[in-house]
Each structure stands twice: as C-alpha cells, then as structure tokens.
Amino acid sequence: MASPRKPTRTRSSRKKRRVSKWRVFLLTAGSILAIALSALLIFVIVAIVKTPKWDPAALTNQKESSIVYDKDGEQIAVLHADENRQMVESSEIPDRVKETFVAVEDKRFYNHFGVDPIRIIGSAIVDLKSGSAKQGASTITIQLARNAFIENPTEKSLTRKIQEAALAIQLEHEYTKDEILTFYLNRIYFGESSFGIQAAAKTYFGKDDLTKLTPDEIALLAGLPQAPSGYDPYVHPEAAANRRAIVLGVMKDAQIITSEEYNKYKDAPFAYVDKVKEHRSLTKNTSAVSSGYKFPYFVDYVVQELQGENYGLSPDQIYNGGLRIYTTVDSKIQEAAEAAFADPANFPKSVDSTPVQGAMTVLDPTTGAIRAIIGGREHTTALGFNRATQGTRQPGSTIKPLVVYAPALEKGGYFTGTVLDDMPVSYNAGNGTTWSPVDFDTESSGWKGRITMRYAVENSVNVYAVKLMNLIGVDTGWEFGKKLGLPLENNDRVLSLALGTPEVSPLDMASAYGTFANNGVRVTSHAIEKIQDTNGKNLITPQITQERVMKETTAYLINDLLRSVVTNGTGTRAQIGNWAVAGKTGTTSLDPVKYGNKTGSPDAWFAGYTPNYVGVVWMGYDEDPDGKHYLHNVFGGSYPAQIWKKVMTAALEDKPVQTAFNRPPGIVSGAIDTKSGLLPSSLTPSQFIRTELAAQGNFPTQVSDVWVEKEIDADHPTYLAGSKTRNKVSKVFLNITDRNPSLTWPSDEAPYRPPFEVYAGGGGEDTGGDPATDPRLPIPTLGPVSYDSSKATASMAVSYPSGSESLSLVLYVKFPGQANFQVFNPQAQPGKSDLITVPLGKVGETLPGEYIFKAAFKDPKTSKYSETSPVARLTIKD
C-alpha cells in the first residue's frame, strides 16, 4: 500500500507564517519599548516629585554657617561668607560684564528655556568621543538652581539632573533672563572667600564700582568661576593670566571688545594683586595665627580639599551650607606646631626683612589622619598659599630612603651592610656631557672609601646613593617612589633622582615616610573624618584605602637604618629621650650656573617619625630674586630637626614610651666585614667588623677577600721586604685594585694601603739590589716632563737603547704627598712609541705638588727588571 503524501505548503501559507513572525517581533519590541518608556516616565515623575521645595527666598537669603571640629569633637572654626558677600542691583552691573559671562558660561542663555538641548547633545558627543564624562551641559539657570535649592549639589546622579532641570524651568517661568543673570552674579564664588561679583571686584582690583572695570579685569572675573583656586592670581598668577587671555579671546570673538582692546589688555599686569602681595610680605607678624579662627592653615586645607575633585563641594555650600565638618586635627599637636613656628629662635636670622619661611605636616601613619599642618610663619589671607600642602621644593637627601634604599632592599640582593666605594665616578649625562656626583663634604673631608649602606645613610653620602640607584636601575627607584605617592614626573626618571631633584610638598613626604612607620602599608592621608548636615545626617565619609607597597622586612630595615641617623648620624638633634625615633636630613645645593662657587642651600628638610607619628619640616626662602636669599650654614639636622623635636615632644607627652620599632619575622643578623660587605675573614681587622641586618636570604655567605697579608721591611715600613731585608714583618693590607692611584685614600683605609716596591737603600728612589733586578738589561732614559692641564696628563719622551727591542717598558710615578711609587704599564713600548703619556687625575682636580717619574725594562721571559732610569720631575703649582 502506498504511503500517504505529506501535505504540500502553499505559497500563501508560507507568507502567512512570515507575517505572523514579523507581527510577533513588532509586538514584542513595542511592548519592551512601552515598558521602558513607562519606567522612564515613572522615574522622571518620582524625581520631579522629590524635587526640593520651591523657595524664592533662597535666591537672596544667607544660609547657616558651617562649623569645623577637631578630632575630639571640639569646635575650632565657624565658616561663613557673609562678610565678603555684597549684593548689587542689575542696573549696577555693566552690560559688558553680563555679555562676557554669558559668552563664557552659557552663550545660548537668551535662547533656551533653562535647559539647553543643543548643549546637552554636544556635551554627550564630546564625552562619547573622549570616553570620559567631563563635559558640562549646565546652563547659567541650572547652576543657579543647583546652588540655591539642591541639598547636595555635588551628587552625580540622573535624579539630581532631572531635579535641576525642573527647577531651572521654573526659574525661567518666574523670572526674566536679566533677573536670573543678576541672581547668578550675586551668588557665584570667585575665590579668596569672595562671593558675588561686587566682592570679587574689591578683592582682586580694589574697586567698589563695577562700571570702572577694564576688559582685562572683566575677563579675569569671568574666568575664575570655572576653578577659583586654580586661577587665583594671588597664588597661581601664570595660570590666571592664561585663563584671562582665553576669556579675552572669547570676548573678542563675540565682539564684546575690539582687536585693539584685546592686544592692549592680554598681557596686562595684576597690579592690585601684586601690591597686596607686597604688603603681605612686609607684614611683620611672628605669629602663625592671624586669622579669625583657630588653626587657619589646617582649616584652609580642609576647605581646599572640600572644593577639590575628591569631594567637589561648592564654596557656597561650604561657607553657608550649615555643615558640620569633623576633621583629623589634633589640637595639642597643632598648637605645639604653631608655637614652634611663632618662636623666632627656631629660625635662622634672615639676610634682610624677608623672613626665612617654613612648613610642617604631622600625620598618624596607621590611619593616614593628618594631625597638624603649618603652611608658614604667618597666616595672611584665607585660602592663601599653604607651603605644607601646595609648596613644592626639591627634597634633597630626604628622598634617598624612598627611591634608593627601600627599593634596593625590596629588590633583594642588598642589605644594611652592602659595601660600595665612595670614590669619584662619572655618568653619561647626554649631549656629550658627563655628570660626576660628589658629597657635600668631599672638598673639605675627602672621599670616604668603601662604606656600608648604614654608614652612607647615617652620613647622607651622595655618591653611594647614586651608585646604588645605578645598580638597581633608575626605573626601579622611580616606580617605587610613585607607589609611595610621590608626585614624580617622567622627566624625573634620571639618575639625579637619587639626590632629590624632583619637587614635592611636606605633605607628600610625610605620607610617603608614613609607609615605613606603618610597616610597609600605605594609607590614604586625609584631613576630614566625616561631614554632616545641620540635622546630623552623614553627607560625606572619606574613602580611606590601605595598600601594602613593600615587605614588612623592607620597612623594618629602613626603620633601623633611619634610627641610626638619629642616634649616630646627621639627625642627632631629633633625639627624644628613650623613644624610637627614625629620621632623615636633607639639604639642597645652590645652582652653580646662578651662584658660581657660593656655598649655601635653598632648602633644608627633616623627615622623622616614631611608631606613633610622622612629621616633615621644610625651611627656606620662598624665592631668591637677587641671588642673596638662601640659607647659610643651615642643614636639615639643625633648625628643621629642632622644630621637629619640639612638636613631637608635645605630641608624645602622654603616650607610653616605645623604645623600638616592631621587628617582623624574616630578619637575620650577623657579623660582616665593613670593607667588603661579606663575612669577616681571618685577616679582617677587628675595627672593621660589625653586626648588620638583612632580610632572610640576603645575608652574605662568602668570606671577605679584600684583605691580603704581605711582608714589609720593618725598618722602612712603607716598602715591601726583599731578599736582602734584615727585619721582615707581616702586615695586613687592603687589596683594592680598581681605584685611580692618584687619589688620596680616606684616613681609616690609608694605613692599609699596600706598598708596591722593595726598599733597596739610597733613599728609595730606585728598585735595584734585589734578585728580581738583572744588571745586564739596558736602562731607559726619560726626557723632560710636560703637563697638559686641559687633559690632566703628563708627557715625556723615552729613549730605547740597543737591546731593548724585546723588552717591555714599566713606569713608576710618585704622586704628591705619597710615600710610594705607583706602577704603570704605559702604551709607549720599544718599537711602538717613544712618547709616554700619564693621567694625573681628573681635569680640574689634579693635586698640586711634585711628581717623580722613573722607568725600567722588564724581560718577559725571565720576569727580571733592569735598573731604574734617573728620575724626571714635574711640579704643579696650586
């Protein structure tokens, strides 16, 4: 039987099926869209319903003052802007002023209804292209609505944006454009505690009449609201001038001013600002407190932090928002710091009426809480220049533990007894030049020779630090410093980073050093604990992060090294009883291009800490316009350490004494040879053996090989013993072969410098008489000696007698002040060259005095020497 046929689908049935699928898709998409639109509509309605109550009085009324508290909840300041807010009528504001603000802030102000769709779309496109969300789309009306009615204007949410838009539309409905613009100009913050354009005109130009404002003055005022602190001409004149020039360009393009006016005013000086600044600098006020509230530098920093990108509060909210601002300041420590900075005895005498300035930051390393800030010896204006947080200077040697010693210990292979040679070294500085670092006391005290890391840290030895950074790599040190929070730039990736050439603030340094005190964990430094509204509701709680940036063993080794600085090194003035105090001094050098051979320092630093607190002190002049304002005989271990001690003594007054830093597992110790950094050998003299520390795995296992034993002539101890020597004794010497023989050895190594020739009588000026001498060999003759100071070389001709063709020439040189001849193998040789050239040192550093030369032949087959030639002499005068 035939199987039944499957029904055949007709063309119409297939079409119906396709239509059915398309219909299902449309219904589904439509349903999703309807649901989304409904949800969006509900969201918008809810947001509008929750919009703050419309209160026209908020446009003109002053709000409640904000209160600032210390860490114990005690009130320290009341913030308000009433004294520096002056309301003006629309008729008192020139049309040119209004036109400029509209051109800069909201060029379609007169054409939109409070919200500018074109601006919103444009900003969104720019954000999408850049991948950021930084473009603003706020109109002048929205800015007014935000500052007048929104409880938390810094909140970034869609709800707040909808509420702002709703309020802006209502403002446009209730008031004319001119009224809105007038409200705006009376409320806006211009920096320097100035609210409203009238107060700003008085602050920056000393003018009460707005009609007398010139185009450059109008441009500055119109440019300030974007970043009042960043464009403040009292603090950042260059940034203010650049911003003003941009606004003048906008005014010219909008035909508010002519091209002639633009050219006339674009480089105008800040005459009134400069006059006020000069008056401030001449004010003789030895008190660190001259504000209307306690702790002005600390409170200023808090306000600046609130206005910064982390919190983004508007100045109006800070000063008139009724906030309760709880800070980290410790009143006892802050008062001690202010007392120390108010005492003239803690500062060196100035060269004139311009005072030597200073700054200090103290923080708790375990929490990151800033306990005290002093930004100068006097506080002259609210939100003025704060040297502790805004002043950046070169830190000198205080940077060494941060970018040299800690990264070396963290890297491994180094420990507190690692030995390097403090002797001259040169590095390629680019452009065909070399850089030769020196120590601050090299000229007066000479080179220090082979020293340990501990000695280098204790005595702030520059050459050791540079050599160590070169060994670990500049990138390693730079990256480690960045991990500690130092504001290093790419152009700081150079070897001189080891000596503190970047610019940092005392707060930067205190935060970085706090990582050592906190056992290798970096905590966000902060001055604000929390912010509440008038009703006690928390508005802001800082996000404090903790990050381990080094091993506990690394932090401990640094603590131990810096403890030695205070007990035995350059920081002894910072000692506080039995407290465990670690610290590092730093002093910068004058630029020889500007100052020539003058001695002095632009900066002096002391960075110190206990297990409880870390504090950093900077001292110096703000600027040196005439080449006379720099520190004389002031070092980090002097006045800065003295101030540090006074403040820290008060800070630690009621705390139990801690005599040591916590020692973690993984630290080993043992005896080392301080001239090799290895285990002592049987020849190591006892005075060169000491105990050092290392992280487990980094303590040396090799025995020292720098000591050798040789026989000397007891009757002539600067000579080796020969076969005819009557009285021989054995003596231990340092076997250092990689030093320039013209250099003077340091005092602790000089007695161990080995002799190189055998005494043979006759005053010791020839080497004959020993079986190593073959009298049958010919003797060379030296010609007169000439000196080339540009190359620091001596040259002389040598004559080769018959029979010397198969011999090699050996030259002996005795340098000024040395008892022994040094041996050279010159390039001049029989059959090759008859001109001897000898390096006598580095260019510009050749020792003055008499140089003595003599020569001999050596038979390579028998290793015997000829008699030495008659001596040739060269005298170099100082």
Side-chain angles (χ1 to χ4, degrees):
M1 185 176 69
S3 61
R5 295 179 60 189
K6 294 182 179 179
T8 304
R9 291 180 180 175
T10 65
R11 183 177 179 182
S12 60
S13 67
R14 289 195 302 269
K15 182 177 180 181
K16 286 180 180 180
R17 182 175 180 85
R18 285 198 298 270
V19 170
S20 176
K21 287 183 177 180
W22 178 246
R23 184 177 181 184
V24 169
F25 172 77
L26 288 177
L27 287 173
T28 303
S31 298
I32 294 172
L33 181 60
I35 292 170
L37 289 174
S38 298
L40 179 60
L41 180 60
I42 293 171
F43 180 83
V44 171
I45 292 172
V46 171
I48 293 176
V49 168
K50 292 183 178 180
T51 298
K53 182 181 179 182
W54 171 260
D55 181 11
L59 295 172
T60 56
N61 290 349
Q62 302 297 329
K63 292 186 178 180
E64 183 180 349
S65 298
S66 295
I67 301 176
V68 183
Y69 302 92
D70 70 4
K71 77 176 186 66
D72 297 317
E74 296 294 327
Q75 179 177 314
I76 59 173
V78 177
L79 301 179
H80 52 81
D82 298 352
E83 294 83 359
N84 205 21
R85 182 195 293 275
Q86 302 172 34
M87 308 294 287
V88 291
E89 300 293 333
S90 174
S91 59
E92 299 176 77
I93 305 174
D95 288 341
R96 180 177 273 187
V97 172
K98 296 178 180 178
E99 292 167 0
T100 300
F101 274 85
V102 169
V104 173
E105 290 291 320
D106 187 2
K107 64 183 180 181
R108 280 183 291 277
F109 174 67
Y110 291 104
N111 298 321
H112 61 65
F113 53 89
V115 177
D116 187 355
I118 296 176
R119 189 170 182 178
I120 293 172
I121 294 171
S123 297
I125 292 173
V126 172
D127 285 342
L128 286 173
K129 288 181 177 179
S130 65
S132 67
K134 297 181 178 179
Q135 288 294 312
S138 296
T139 64
I140 284 177
T141 315
I142 286 177
Q143 292 181 53
L144 177 61
R146 176 190 306 146
N147 289 323
F149 302 109
I150 299 297
E151 179 181 356
N152 184 8
T154 64
E155 178 189 356
K156 292 178 172 59
S157 67
L158 181 58
T159 298
R160 198 208 71 181
K161 293 290 185 184
I162 294 171
Q163 292 172 347
E164 288 176 357
L167 288 166
I169 293 171
Q170 189 166 358
L171 274 171
E172 294 276 349
H173 178 72
E174 297 287 342
Y175 300 100
T176 66
K177 289 286 187 179
D178 188 67
E179 288 174 325
I180 291 172
L181 184 57
T182 302
F183 284 136
Y184 173 78
L185 291 174
N186 275 316
R187 292 188 64 88
I188 196 168
Y189 180 62
F190 289 88
E192 293 286 330
S193 298
S194 299
F195 289 82
I197 193 166
Q198 178 66 81
K202 180 69 175 177
T203 297
Y204 296 107
F205 314 116
K207 294 184 177 180
D208 295 312
D209 187 350
L210 298 181
T211 62
K212 294 183 179 179
L213 291 173
T214 57
D216 59 305
E217 293 169 343
I218 295 172
L220 177 67
L221 294 178
L224 279 169
Q226 186 184 76
S229 297
Y231 298 133
D232 185 344
Y234 284 100
V235 182
H236 305 293
E238 184 176 348
N242 292 337
R243 176 62 176 163
R244 182 185 64 184
I246 292 172
V247 176
L248 281 169
V250 173
M251 294 170 72
K252 182 184 70 171
D253 294 341
Q255 299 182 343
I256 299 172
I257 61 173
T258 64
S259 296
E260 290 74 17
E261 287 177 305
Y262 172 81
N263 292 327
K264 177 181 178 181
Y265 290 108
K266 66 183 178 67
D267 296 318
F270 295 116
Y272 180 79
V273 170
D274 291 340
K275 182 178 178 181
V276 173
K277 288 169 68 176
E278 182 180 1
H279 173 72
R280 290 174 180 174
S281 67
L282 295 175
T283 301
K284 295 182 179 179
N285 182 1
T286 59
S287 172
V289 183
S290 61
S291 178
Y293 44 74
K294 293 176 68 176
F295 313 153
Y297 276 119
F298 193 97
V299 174
D300 281 357
Y301 178 69
V302 168
V303 172
Q304 290 163 348
E305 281 287 283
L306 291 175
Q307 292 180 199
E309 61 181 20
N310 288 337
Y311 302 107
L313 295 185
S314 68
D316 195 35
Q317 186 181 26
I318 295 170
Y319 286 96
N320 291 320
L323 302 178
R324 302 297 180 259
I325 304 168
Y326 293 88
T327 74
T328 61
V329 67
D330 186 316
S331 292
K332 180 175 69 173
I333 301 176
Q334 182 72 30
E335 287 170 356
E338 291 185 350
F341 275 72
D343 185 354
N346 292 328
F347 289 83
K349 186 177 180 180
S350 177
V351 294
D352 55 20
S353 59
T354 303
V356 175
Q357 276 296 346
M360 183 176 191
T361 303
V362 180
L363 57 80
D364 180 339
T366 59
T367 64
I370 301 173
R371 298 307 188 196
I373 290 176
I374 296 290
R377 295 178 69 180
E378 67 283 325
H379 186 269
T380 57
T381 180
L383 298 184
F385 185 55
N386 190 330
R387 297 170 186 83
T389 60
Q390 298 171 314
T392 55
R393 304 290 287 247
Q394 291 186 340
S397 293
T398 53
I399 206 172
K400 291 174 183 175
L402 306 172
V403 299
V404 179
Y405 297 116
L409 295 169
E410 183 78 1
K411 183 183 180 75
Y414 302 94
F415 73 116
T416 61
T418 295
V419 169
L420 297 176
D421 203 8
D422 178 60
M423 282 289 170
V425 65
S426 295
Y427 297 97
N428 183 6
N431 299 321
T433 61
T434 59
W435 175 55
S436 302
V438 295
D439 302 320
F440 76 94
D441 63 345
T442 297
E443 186 174 347
S444 60
S445 302
W447 298 97
K448 297 173 179 61
R450 295 173 71 89
I451 55 176
T452 63
M453 183 184 292
R454 185 177 301 278
Y455 183 95
V457 174
E458 286 178 359
N459 296 279
S460 201
V461 182
N462 290 339
V463 174
Y464 185 105
V466 175
K467 285 185 174 182
L468 183 56
M469 173 166 274
N470 188 57
L471 289 172
I472 66 172
V474 173
D475 286 347
T476 298
W478 186 90
E479 289 163 4
F480 199 89
K482 289 287 284 186
K483 286 199 303 181
L484 296 180
L486 295 181
L488 303 180
E489 305 291 341
N490 278 327
N491 58 9
D492 295 320
R493 288 180 185 261
V494 290
L495 205 51
S496 61
L497 168 64
L499 303 185
T501 50
E503 294 197 342
V504 296
S505 72
L507 177 57
D508 294 329
M509 295 297 283
S511 180
Y513 265 86
T515 309
F516 297 141
N518 198 32
N519 303 314
V521 176
R522 180 170 179 254
V523 186
T524 307
S525 60
H526 60 285
I528 299 167
E529 291 288 3
K530 63 182 177 181
I531 300 176
Q532 297 179 339
D533 62 15
T534 307
N535 300 318
K537 176 184 176 183
N538 283 344
L539 297 178
I540 294 176
T541 301
Q543 297 298 312
I544 310 303
T545 61
Q546 297 190 17
E547 179 187 7
R548 175 162 293 284
V549 294
M550 70 183 80
K551 304 168 189 171
E552 284 188 88
T553 52
T554 299
Y556 178 78
L557 291 174
I558 290 292
N559 294 341
D560 192 72
L561 286 171
L562 298 184
R563 182 87 173 93
S564 293
V565 173
V566 176
T567 56
N568 303 309
T570 58
T572 54
R573 293 191 184 185
Q575 295 177 9
I576 303 177
N578 293 324
W579 273 94
V581 175
K584 185 71 189 75
T585 59
T587 310
T588 60
S589 302
L590 296 175
D591 183 355
V593 175
K594 177 179 178 180
Y595 296 92
N597 294 322
K598 292 182 179 178
T599 57
S601 306
D603 313 278
W605 295 74
F606 183 76
Y609 57 93
T610 68
N612 308 80
Y613 298 111
V614 56
V616 173
V617 178
W618 166 83
M619 188 173 290
Y621 286 96
D622 284 336
E623 54 186 357
D624 183 15
D626 56 7
K628 298 178 181 178
H629 290 80
Y630 54 87
L631 301 175
H632 298 267
N633 295 317
V634 176
F635 307 98
S638 58
Y639 289 98
Q642 176 178 304
I643 290 177
W644 185 93
K645 179 177 180 178
K646 288 186 176 182
V647 175
M648 285 300 181
T649 298
L652 299 169
E653 185 178 16
D654 299 325
K655 295 190 176 297
V657 175
Q658 296 189 49
T659 59
F661 291 94
N662 181 49
R663 180 167 174 163
I667 296 292
V668 296
S669 64
I672 67 151
D673 181 326
T674 60
K675 290 300 172 182
S676 67
L678 303 175
L679 300 178
S681 73
S682 59
L683 297 178
T684 304
S686 59
Q687 67 267 36
F688 297 116
I689 299 175
R690 69 167 295 160
T691 300
E692 283 298 350
L693 306 176
Q696 200 160 17
N698 291 319
F699 202 83
T701 56
Q702 280 184 283
V703 175
S704 177
D705 57 358
V706 298
W707 299 97
V708 294
E709 193 172 37
K710 294 185 177 184
E711 286 188 327
I712 62 170
D713 188 321
D715 299 322
H716 305 90
T718 58
Y719 291 86
L720 294 172
S723 61
K724 296 184 179 181
T725 302
R726 297 178 179 179
N727 297 314
K728 299 179 182 180
V729 294
S730 294
K731 187 176 178 182
V732 172
F733 296 99
L734 271 172
N735 185 32
I736 302 175
T737 59
D738 55 354
R739 283 185 186 165
N740 186 329
S742 67
L743 294 172
T744 302
W745 282 28
S747 59
D748 69 324
E749 293 179 356
Y752 297 93
R753 186 168 187 169
F756 290 97
E757 58 182 322
V758 175
Y759 181 74
E765 287 196 0
D766 72 60
T767 56
D770 190 89
T773 301
D774 186 346
R776 296 171 299 176
L777 295 176
I779 302 172
T781 302
L782 298 178
V785 185
S786 62
Y787 175 60
D788 185 344
S789 60
S790 66
K791 298 180 181 178
T793 57
S795 300
M796 68 208 78
V798 58
S799 63
Y800 302 115
S802 177
S804 61
E805 294 79 7
S806 61
L807 305 178
S808 60
L809 183 69
V810 178
L811 183 70
Y812 302 90
V813 183
K814 182 184 288 186
F815 290 84
Q818 295 189 9
N820 302 322
F821 281 87
Q822 307 299 314
V823 181
F824 283 85
N825 293 309
Q827 292 183 341
Q829 294 293 328
K832 295 182 179 180
S833 172
D834 58 0
L835 181 65
I836 299 174
T837 301
V838 186
L840 301 183
K842 295 178 63 175
V843 175
E845 298 181 10
T846 305
L847 293 173
E850 185 180 56
Y851 292 78
I852 303 174
F853 306 86
K854 59 185 179 180
F857 287 124
K858 179 181 180 181
D859 186 340
K861 294 180 180 179
T862 64
S863 296
K864 299 270 185 157
Y865 290 83
S866 72
E867 300 286 347
T868 57
S869 68
V871 299
R873 300 176 187 270
L874 168 69
T875 300
I876 299 178
K877 296 183 179 180
D878 193 351

